[in-house]
Amino acid sequence: MAENYDVVIIGAGSVGVPIAYYLAQEKMKVLVIDRHPSPGQGQNKSAIGGVRATHSDPAKILLCEESIHIFSAWQEETGDAVGWKQGGYCFPVYREEEERTLQEILPFQKKYGLHTGWVRPEEIREIVPGINIEGLRGGIYSPEDGQVSPVLFMNSLYEAAKREGCSFRFSETVTGIRVEHDRISKVSTDKASYNTPVVVNAAGAYAKEVGTYTGLRVAVDPESHEAGISSPVEHFLSPMVVDMRPGTNGKTSNFYFTQVAEGPVIFCYTPAPPIKGTNRDSSSEFLPILADRLISLLPRCKNLLIRRTWRGLYPMTPDGYPICGKVNEIAGMYLAAGMCGQGFMIGPGLGKNMAALIVHGAPLIPGDVFDTIGYYRNFEGPDKEALT
Amino acid sequence: MARIEEHPILDIPKKRKVRFTFEGRPMEGLEGEMVSSALIANGEDTFGSHQKDGAPQGMYCSNGQCSQCLVIADGFPVKGCMTPVREGMDVRGCKGKPKLPEEAIVQRGNAVETIETECLIIGGGPAGLSAALELGKQGVETVLIDDKYRLGGKLTLQTHVFFGSTDACYAGSRGIDIAERLTTEVSTYDAIDIRLATSAVGVFPDGKVGIVTDGTYYFIKPEILLVASGAREKALAFPGCDLPGVYGAGAFQTLVNRDLVKASERLFVCGGGNVGLITAYHALQAGIQVTGLAEALSVCGGYKVHADKIISAGIPVYTSHTILTAYGKERVEGLSIAEVDASFTPVKGTEKRFSVDTILIAVGLTPIDELYRQARTYGFEVFAAGDAEEISEASAAMFSGRIAGKNIVRRLTGAKLFAEMAPAEKLPEEAGEKELMEALRSKPGAINDVEQTVLPGKVYPVIRCKQEIPCDPCAAICPKGAITLDGDPLLGIPRFTGKECSNCGRCVLICPGLAISLVDERFDPDQREALITLPFEYTGNMLQPGREVVTLASDGTTTGKGIIEGVRSGGKAKRLLVSVRVPFEERLTAAGIRMQDPESAGMQFAVEDNDETIICRCERITKGEIVAMIRKGCRDLNQIKAALRTGMGACGGKTCEELILRLFAAEGVDPKSVTPFVKRPPLTEVPLKLFAGVE
């Protein structure tokens, strides 16, 4: 006999687990299925944990504001330390191009109530002590953004979801979704089948594959980014620093790093051109390129001891925005996919909204804003994500 | 200053003194000595305190694998065991998180260089050196790297005489001398590019190996990679296991035999395999009191002759015993052990307590094979040899290195590998290599009581080697051909045929187990006394003729008293032949001279294993925290890592992975059903500036 659930979520990661948690709070009977042996073993553990509302579109601004609210209150609510650090985000600017991009989105962020503002070079030197000041034009700083440990938050959220009654099946891969009379009826895996009227595709890098089980074209194609972490040092750096310039070696675009609550410096860059596919091997070029960028921006970092590197997947969409919400043609089919590397910061806010959408038929943020990251938008439109 | 001033085997080299300070206090080290050894030689065992809970931190692996000996040297955090002390160095304990030095100057460095070569050998120990010899002979362009400052690997710590095959792997020679020979020979080949103090920190999918040497990072891209990186010591978890003064037997050998630091006054050894037994012997040779050795099994797993050697010198061996607790505040002050039942559970009321300053852990080795496994997944042409391939004796490592070297030559020339060849294709000397390899790697076999041949009124050897082990030097060296191995030519048990004995003493001098003595019945025709000749490898101060000594049997029981009659030098063997006059009836049983006075253990209440035992020493995660996750259903080490940080520390799970799997087993979970840690580069921590090529 197949077990019955109100909702089956495919993917126990940064997106699936918060949706499960908020659904369970609404008294839904929830099952989460993941191909990995434990929660967060897809991309959650690869995330460097930056959390910002400083985005260039309303949906992500509103969802991430909610996430920041959740992260910052989490320890008080659950008693679990998750390494939340409200050190802000700082985008130092050295070139006219980046200045123009950032100045253009500032009014928009102010409109949504963010305290993000332009800061002068002297202020940047206060915010990022020791930063290379040669050619520094200023930058933007958003004091309310922060950083949190993806793995600690995931573990705490997973335990909380279980306490709320969620069921989890690990090392189990979904092999099919049955649709009867245009309604979801069953999810099959390599081990069992589950009856359910609702399925959420939160399969991260595998969302496209899961989409095909109901004949949907979910335009998510993973790209990979490498990241690394140093051994801990005494506190010296508060914000997440984002350098938007292309690297001088021609192999990178954005580059970002911060010091996490326990003391290590964590860092990552965006490869240019993008590296498509699901390969997660560590490359020989990552640390040399990273070291050059980090040391030339913040020379003091040269004495960090590099402890570990890894490679994670960014489930990318054609326009750089997530694909979330309801699928009209199949009753009970929902998408929470294509986070483009921001699943961890969007996850909690999105989870709350998805739960509201599934249970009450409408998200918490305005419906028209939520639709801008919906399945039916024009992916080929002019609005590409500016702050990736 | 706790330095070894006199040693029966090792020469004490004259080294230039180096002045440095620790916490501002002036200290003296020796040129080329590692900071951790220099600190211990100056009586400093506690180097710093842990950032999480302030727990005292000191030397642990002495092999660059962990990070517990972290110190701040001239402002920079470094591993004490891998950093040579320099004149004027300002060494500070690492208390909590180190401060990142400020730096104002923006530097742009050089691109990372890539060197191409036919073969790269990682590890210049017995296996790597033996492989390099084969490659050197054939002129194969080879880079040989080793993370230490001299070649030889663990051979440089092995002051004892080797077992094994005289022909195939220098049995009958000391490890340190073999290291010297191999190093000298390898250095004669122009094709071998030797790079010391050089570590491989990662292999990459593009065929490159990341290399770190003093201040530089570069790549080596070999056609063929040989991983001969040896082994690391397994850990043991018990309350107090994280105190400074608890460390591996190999770490101890490094301190004592490489750096000639008298690291302890009184120690206790946990583990009766060959490593534990030999280390106890090395300690005694260095003038350190060995309070005892505990082995959980009912017999020691190492060679019986190794056990007999230390037992007959007066070291108590507690079989069917386990360590319960280490005591101490800032460092080890003592330990308690207890008897275990058939299921290895400590038996109440059998606790024994000893005061010691050091506890050595010798509970086995794990291959350092991360790079080998990773290289295989990336499609490298890669071989492994020595302990990195399979844990065994150094004699087997040399032989496996030789086979790997020959195989690499075959691969480069397009010939078949040994494993691919039909028996008929092999040359005669190659045909038996597999069998010899198996014999060298064989575990100690059955004990057979071979009857002792006595030649009344004459001289004859007494052979106390009664276990099948791969060893043949006694039979090979007897000039009269009077010693034979019954059965297998390598594994057989040696027997004196009774033919004749010329009293030359060569068998006594060469036996790696020190298991042969000579009996001279001519000494007293009335058979009240006999003269026995015993091998002796301690400092000779006590051996004045006429002095009374206590003789012990192989099982440690006192046979009686004897009088020293004379001492013969063993010359290059660095072993003395001591003639002792003993009562006639004790001539066959007296196996050794008691080297330390017996001690009785205190019987005291002992702390039982508890949830506070530290399992992950880098991040100080306790047994209780991990067991709680296992009981909640966790079956993925990466989930434990994510939730608790086990494996996120400097060592990357090298120390705690096995300990955690043992906790799973104790909870009734098959460790094979548990997902292992995902391993990620770099293998050890590397300063960021090296990747950027800046100063």
Side-chain angles (χ1 to χ4, degrees):
Chain A
M1 270 294 285
E3 295 171 39
N4 298 307
Y5 288 94
D6 295 333
V7 182
V8 169
I9 298 170
I10 302 169
S14 295
V15 175
V17 177
I19 298 173
Y21 172 74
Y22 289 110
L23 281 170
Q25 282 198 333
E26 299 272 4
K27 307 294 169 216
M28 302 293 274
K29 192 181 175 200
V30 182
L31 173 69
V32 189
I33 302 169
D34 199 292
R35 61 175 74 196
H36 298 96
S38 64
Q41 294 299 318
Q43 314 314 319
N44 168 269
K45 65 176 182 181
S46 300
I48 70 168
V51 179
R52 59 175 155 101
T54 312
H55 294 284
S56 59
D57 70 298
K60 283 203 295 186
I61 289 175
L62 294 177
L63 292 174
C64 287
E65 274 189 313
E66 183 60 43
S67 289
I68 288 173
H69 184 69
I70 294 164
F71 285 130
S72 58
W74 192 260
Q75 181 165 359
E76 202 171 314
E77 280 176 15
T78 63
D80 292 345
V82 292
W84 167 248
K85 185 193 78 169
Q86 197 153 29
Y89 259 64
C90 182
F91 295 69
V93 167
Y94 292 88
R95 305 191 316 167
E96 207 186 328
E97 294 96 304
E98 283 78 45
E99 180 165 350
R100 203 181 313 123
T101 308
L102 289 170
Q103 293 278 20
E104 269 170 21
I105 60 171
L106 266 183
F108 187 74
Q109 291 170 338
K110 290 222 168 77
K111 183 178 141 196
Y112 279 91
L114 302 182
H115 294 97
T116 307
W118 184 262
V119 284
R120 289 170 290 120
E122 309 84 81
E123 291 169 289
I124 299 238
R125 288 168 73 172
E126 303 265 308
I127 297 162
V128 187
I131 192 168
N132 184 352
I133 50 164
E134 200 188 321
L136 184 64
R137 303 164 77 94
I140 61 171
Y141 176 57
S142 56
E144 282 146 345
D145 295 337
Q147 200 264 351
V148 64
S149 163
V151 292
L152 287 181
F153 182 72
M154 170 54 64
N155 182 62
S156 175
L157 186 65
Y158 166 66
E159 294 297 337
K162 283 200 296 184
R163 282 195 301 272
E164 295 285 347
C166 287
S167 300
F168 287 83
R169 299 278 186 278
F170 292 109
S171 301
E172 195 166 326
T173 304
V174 172
T175 53
I177 301 169
R178 191 189 294 174
V179 179
E180 283 178 64
H181 310 296
D182 300 329
R183 308 190 76 83
I184 295 287
S185 69
K186 188 181 272 190
V187 173
S188 306
T189 72
D190 54 353
K191 292 183 179 161
S193 292
Y194 308 95
N195 296 322
T196 182
V198 177
V199 166
V200 182
N201 177 353
Y206 307 98
K208 188 181 222 172
E209 182 187 327
V210 171
T212 62
Y213 299 152
T214 53
L216 292 176
R217 190 187 168 274
V218 182
V220 173
D221 291 295
E223 294 174 3
S224 63
H225 290 215
E226 285 182 87
I229 194 163
S230 75
S231 62
V233 291
E234 216 174 73
H235 174 80
F236 74 101
L237 178 68
S238 294
M240 177 76 75
V241 181
V242 184
D243 178 4
M244 293 178 70
R245 287 173 293 174
T248 51
N249 44 56
K251 289 184 169 178
T252 64
S253 53
N254 276 10
F255 157 62
Y256 32 107
F257 63 96
T258 191
Q259 184 179 23
V260 305
E262 294 111 344
V265 173
I266 194 164
F267 44 78
C268 184
Y269 65 64
T270 304
I275 301 166
K276 296 194 184 297
T278 55
N279 188 324
R280 297 181 71 175
D281 295 340
S282 289
S283 75
S284 65
E285 63 180 22
F286 173 64
L287 281 171
I289 290 175
L290 182 283
D292 180 53
R293 287 203 70 165
L294 184 49
I295 293 170
S296 49
L297 191 71
L298 190 54
R300 186 179 198 183
C301 289
K302 74 179 202 178
N303 290 311
L304 288 170
L305 291 173
I306 301 310
R307 181 171 280 183
R308 215 88 67 219
T309 62
W310 60 90
R311 184 194 286 266
L313 303 180
Y314 276 40
M316 297 306 291
T317 62
D319 58 4
Y321 295 107
I323 307 174
C324 299
K326 206 171 167 178
V327 175
N328 297 332
E329 294 79 4
I330 306 164
M333 184 71 227
Y334 292 84
L335 300 173
M339 297 295 145
C340 303
Q342 296 170 341
F344 177 66
M345 67 172 92
I346 298 173
L350 177 65
K352 230 172 178 174
N353 276 274
M354 288 295 293
L357 178 66
I358 292 165
V359 179
H360 305 296
L364 300 172
I365 68 171
D368 58 335
V369 174
F370 198 72
D371 284 345
T372 63
I373 54 168
Y375 182 58
Y376 298 97
R377 70 175 184 266
N378 177 14
F379 285 98
E380 305 308 323
D383 294 334
K384 300 277 185 203
E385 168 67 306
L387 274 185
T388 54
Chain B
M1 291 282 275
R3 293 197 184 274
I4 295 166
E5 308 288 355
E6 191 181 14
H7 196 279
I9 311 298
L10 295 163
D11 298 325
I12 313 292
K14 277 262 166 265
K15 283 189 180 169
R16 204 172 63 83
K17 291 192 169 128
V18 173
R19 281 161 302 171
F20 70 102
T21 60
F22 180 60
E23 298 294 344
R25 297 192 299 277
M27 297 199 172
E28 224 170 55
L30 297 177
E31 188 169 36
E33 181 172 60
M34 299 302 135
V35 169
S36 55
S37 297
L39 286 174
I40 291 173
N42 282 275
E44 301 286 345
D45 306 282
T46 305
F47 298 174
S49 56
H50 196 276
Q51 49 148 319
K52 183 174 171 186
D53 59 3
Q57 302 284 291
M59 194 213 65
Y60 180 63
C61 81
S62 195
N63 198 23
Q65 299 284 311
C66 75
S67 223
Q68 262 180 242
C69 61
L70 201 69
V71 291
I72 310 295
D74 292 333
F76 296 99
V78 294
K79 285 179 185 175
C81 75
M82 299 295 280
T83 309
V85 66
R86 282 188 306 270
E87 182 70 34
M89 191 181 253
D90 171 21
V91 181
R92 305 266 162 187
C94 189
K95 301 187 182 85
K97 291 170 203 165
K99 188 173 154 62
L100 191 64
E102 285 179 29
E103 174 69 56
I105 301 157
V106 179
Q107 294 177 72
R108 299 306 288 255
N110 307 313
V112 180
E113 189 192 357
T114 300
I115 295 169
E116 296 194 355
T117 181
E118 285 187 290
C119 181
L120 168 64
I121 303 177
I122 301 173
L129 283 172
S130 303
L133 284 183
E134 297 300 322
L135 297 168
K137 277 180 209 161
Q138 302 302 324
V140 174
E141 182 188 73
T142 301
V143 180
L144 170 63
I145 65 166
D146 194 279
D147 61 356
K148 306 298 186 305
Y149 287 77
R150 72 195 231 209
L151 287 174
K154 293 291 180 283
L155 288 175
T156 62
L157 313 179
Q158 291 168 343
T159 52
H160 52 279
V161 177
F162 269 37
F163 296 78
S165 155
T166 307
D167 293 337
C169 46
Y170 313 98
S173 299
R174 293 183 191 277
I176 45 173
D177 298 330
I178 300 171
E180 197 80 43
R181 272 164 75 169
L182 293 177
T183 302
T184 308
E185 204 180 330
V186 163
S187 308
T188 61
Y189 293 111
D190 292 339
I192 312 292
D193 174 358
I194 299 166
R195 300 181 177 211
L196 297 175
T198 301
S199 315
V201 297
V203 295
F204 299 101
D206 53 6
K208 291 177 181 173
V209 182
I211 305 288
V212 168
T213 193
D214 189 32
T216 317
Y217 179 75
Y218 60 95
F219 295 118
I220 294 180
K221 193 172 182 187
E223 282 176 49
I224 298 188
L225 175 64
L226 173 62
V227 178
S229 41
R232 65 176 65 94
E233 303 191 87
K234 289 187 185 180
L236 197 60
F238 49 86
C241 65
D242 53 311
L243 284 169
V246 180
Y247 47 83
F252 174 81
Q253 291 183 348
T254 303
L255 282 171
V256 170
N257 294 345
R258 186 190 73 185
D259 298 342
L260 293 159
V261 172
K262 194 174 177 189
S264 169
E265 291 296 327
R266 299 161 54 80
L267 59 76
F268 195 95
V269 182
C270 297
N274 276 342
V275 174
L277 297 169
I278 291 170
T279 306
Y281 186 59
H282 289 170
L284 204 54
Q285 289 180 307
I288 295 166
Q289 174 92 6
V290 183
T291 315
L293 179 147
E295 164 59 51
L297 298 170
S298 58
V299 277
C300 285
Y303 293 165
K304 185 175 185 303
V305 287
H306 273 321
D308 291 352
K309 182 168 68 181
I310 64 165
I311 291 169
S312 63
I315 296 178
V317 171
Y318 300 91
T319 51
S320 298
H321 274 72
T322 190
I323 182 167
L324 294 177
T325 324
Y327 299 94
K329 283 201 174 72
E330 284 296 299
R331 62 160 352 279
V332 167
E333 291 163 24
L335 85 160
S336 60
I337 63 169
E339 216 169 310
V340 291
D341 62 18
S343 62
F344 299 104
T345 309
V347 178
K348 282 230 179 327
T350 65
E351 297 88 354
K352 300 166 187 69
R353 182 170 173 153
F354 304 90
S355 289
V356 295
D357 57 35
T358 301
I359 300 167
L360 301 183
I361 307 301
V363 292
L365 301 169
T366 313
I368 299 181
D369 58 0
E370 290 87 354
L371 293 179
Y372 173 71
R373 288 163 179 270
Q374 190 71 77
R376 277 184 65 131
T377 67
Y378 289 158
F380 275 61
E381 186 80 72
V382 58
F383 293 82
D387 279 352
E389 182 190 20
E390 185 179 327
I391 301 294
S392 195
E393 295 298 307
S395 48
M398 287 187 265
F399 196 66
S400 83
R402 190 194 296 177
I403 292 180
K406 287 181 177 178
N407 272 328
I408 290 169
V409 172
R410 287 170 172 278
R411 185 61 98 203
L412 286 167
T413 54
K416 284 182 186 171
L417 303 188
F418 279 105
E420 299 162 351
M421 287 160 73
E425 294 178 277
K426 292 182 184 172
L427 298 170
E429 71 268 20
E430 295 166 352
E433 288 199 326
K434 186 163 174 277
E435 291 70 24
L436 183 53
M437 188 74 255
E438 276 166 17
L440 287 172
R441 281 180 175 161
S442 61
K443 299 274 172 281
I447 290 168
N448 282 314
D449 230 337
V450 178
E451 203 179 325
Q452 170 65 45
T453 303
V454 168
L455 300 181
K458 291 185 176 171
V459 188
Y460 53 89
V462 178
I463 303 179
R464 296 186 188 80
C465 174
K466 298 176 188 309
Q467 185 183 38
E468 285 194 355
I469 53 172
C471 191
D472 66 3
C474 58
I477 204 159
C478 178
K480 300 289 179 191
I483 299 178
T484 176
L485 299 184
D486 285 342
D488 187 274
L490 189 60
L491 293 169
I493 293 173
R495 184 170 56 82
F496 172 53
T497 61
K499 193 177 155 196
E500 76 174 298
C501 172
S502 65
N503 202 24
C504 71
R506 287 183 200 174
C507 56
V508 184
L509 280 176
I510 203 164
C511 173
L514 285 84
I516 304 179
S517 58
L518 296 177
V519 172
D520 187 349
E521 294 195 8
R522 300 170 307 188
F523 181 74
D524 177 9
D526 297 335
Q527 300 203 339
R528 282 186 306 267
E529 290 185 318
L531 194 65
I532 62 169
T533 301
L534 296 170
F536 190 88
E537 291 190 333
Y538 307 97
T539 48
N541 305 343
M542 66 181 290
L543 301 177
Q544 302 90 7
R547 180 170 170 169
E548 189 181 82
V549 292
V550 176
T551 57
L552 302 180
S554 319
D555 64 1
T557 53
T558 304
T559 40
K561 285 181 179 154
I563 305 291
I564 293 173
E565 280 290 312
V567 180
R568 273 194 273 169
S569 158
K572 279 196 294 185
K574 294 197 175 171
R575 186 183 281 182
L576 301 174
L577 295 174
V578 184
S579 302
V580 184
R581 177 154 55 91
V582 298
F584 190 77
E585 60 278 10
E586 293 168 13
R587 72 197 187 290
L588 300 178
T589 46
I593 295 171
R594 196 174 75 194
M595 294 305 298
Q596 57 179 29
D597 290 336
E599 274 189 84
S600 53
M603 299 286 287
Q604 285 196 37
F605 169 77
V607 178
E608 285 181 39
D609 191 12
N610 61 46
D611 281 353
E612 299 307 309
T613 301
I614 294 290
I615 300 293
C616 164
R617 39 179 73 235
C618 295
E619 298 290 332
R620 297 194 61 78
I621 312 301
T622 64
K623 179 183 165 188
E625 294 173 90
I626 296 166
V627 168
M629 283 201 71
I630 298 172
R631 289 184 183 162
K632 274 199 277 188
C634 171
R635 297 292 179 268
D636 181 0
L637 290 189
N638 301 292
Q639 188 185 4
I640 298 181
K641 178 180 178 178
L644 301 177
R645 300 187 60 79
T646 52
M648 280 193 195
C651 91
K654 293 182 198 125
T655 317
C656 66
E657 181 160 15
E658 282 207 29
L659 296 176
I660 299 173
L661 290 175
R662 264 182 250 167
L663 294 181
F664 272 97
E667 291 293 314
V669 179
D670 180 4
K672 288 193 191 72
S673 71
V674 178
T675 306
F677 281 132
V678 176
K679 301 279 193 328
R680 284 290 184 178
L683 205 58
T684 54
E685 294 178 327
V686 181
L688 186 72
K689 59 188 169 191
L690 268 59
F691 298 109
V694 301
E695 297 281 305

